[in-house]
Each structure stands twice: as structure tokens, then as C-alpha cells.
Amino acid sequence: MESWISGFHTVKLPFLFRDSIGSVLLSLQPTQEQAMPHYMISYDLRKVRNYDGLIKTLRTMKCISPLKSLWVGSLVGPASAIRQILANEMDSDDGLVIVEIKPGSDWATKAPNEHASTWFSNNITKAG
């Protein structure tokens, strides 16, 4: 069973913390004590191109889209857990890539969608 509950997404995964009924709780919101890793997510919906569920999930996770089919966000990982959540909104033939963006990563943009450069400036500090 899967559902969104107050900033948590419940999924059945064997390697994360479980609540009293066996569902895994993956926090989607940063806490003050925890530095959130940043991820870049790209997808290719191949035959049936229904983006609604996937985009709704990414927006609920507070991700932004600098380019079509490319999203970035500060999320609790690992990447495999994020993949599992997003794969539930995709068909079996669709493609998905999730990459952690490490602190100090170099980046540049050219005509991204609104707020993308600001997100990168606020979240990914360029190395010295």
C-alpha cells in the first residue's frame, strides 16, 4: 500500500525504517539537524506519456524542474529509494536516472526554467 501522509511517503522497501504496520517512512522534508543531499532526476517516458502522477510526486517532494524531464531537489536518499518511489508512477519501459549532486559540484546553466539558477546557487556551492 502506498500513500502520501503529512510529508511522508509510505512504500514497501526492505532497507529503511518501518512503522508499526510495516510501512517504510521516507521523510521528504529537511530537518534542522540533518543536511539534505541533493539529487538530479531525469526520466524518459517512452510509449505512454502520462506525466501527471510523476510530476505530482516530484512537486510533492519539493523538487523543481530546470528543464523539461529534468528535476532537482533536496531529498532523503539513497537514490535507490527515490527510484522506487518514482518508479511507482512510471511504466515498466520508461527510463529513470537519479544522481546525487555532491557539495562543491561545478554547475552552469543556460536559459533554464524559472528559479533553477537560484536553486543551484542556494543549494550547490561551487568549489573554491
Side-chain angles (χ1 to χ4, degrees), residues 6-60:
S6 320
F8 289 90
H9 184 83
T10 58
V11 293
K12 300 283 184 184
L13 295 174
F15 52 88
L16 297 175
F17 297 105
R18 295 185 181 279
D19 67 9
S20 61
I21 58 171
S23 294
V24 174
L25 297 178
L26 175 63
S27 173
L28 301 177
Q29 301 298 321
T31 63
Q32 291 178 352
E33 307 83 38
Q34 178 182 15
M36 297 290 286
H38 308 295
Y39 290 92
M40 180 177 60
I41 301 164
S42 184
Y43 54 84
D44 184 10
L45 304 186
R46 295 187 173 125
K47 291 180 186 167
V48 178
R49 294 192 173 151
N50 183 356
Y51 295 90
D52 296 343
L54 182 60
I55 290 172
K56 181 179 178 183
T57 300
L58 288 163
R59 286 183 177 152
T60 301

Side-chain angles (χ1 to χ4, degrees), residues 61-80:
M61 297 167 83
K62 307 268 189 250
C63 294
I64 67 159
S65 179
L67 300 170
K68 203 172 209 175
S69 299
L70 179 70
W71 293 74
V72 291
S74 302
L75 306 168
V76 172
S80 59

Side-chain angles (χ1 to χ4, degrees), residues 81-92:
I82 298 166
R83 177 191 61 207
Q84 182 67 31
I85 291 167
L86 297 177
N88 289 319
E89 302 297 335
M90 304 172 79
D91 293 331
S92 61

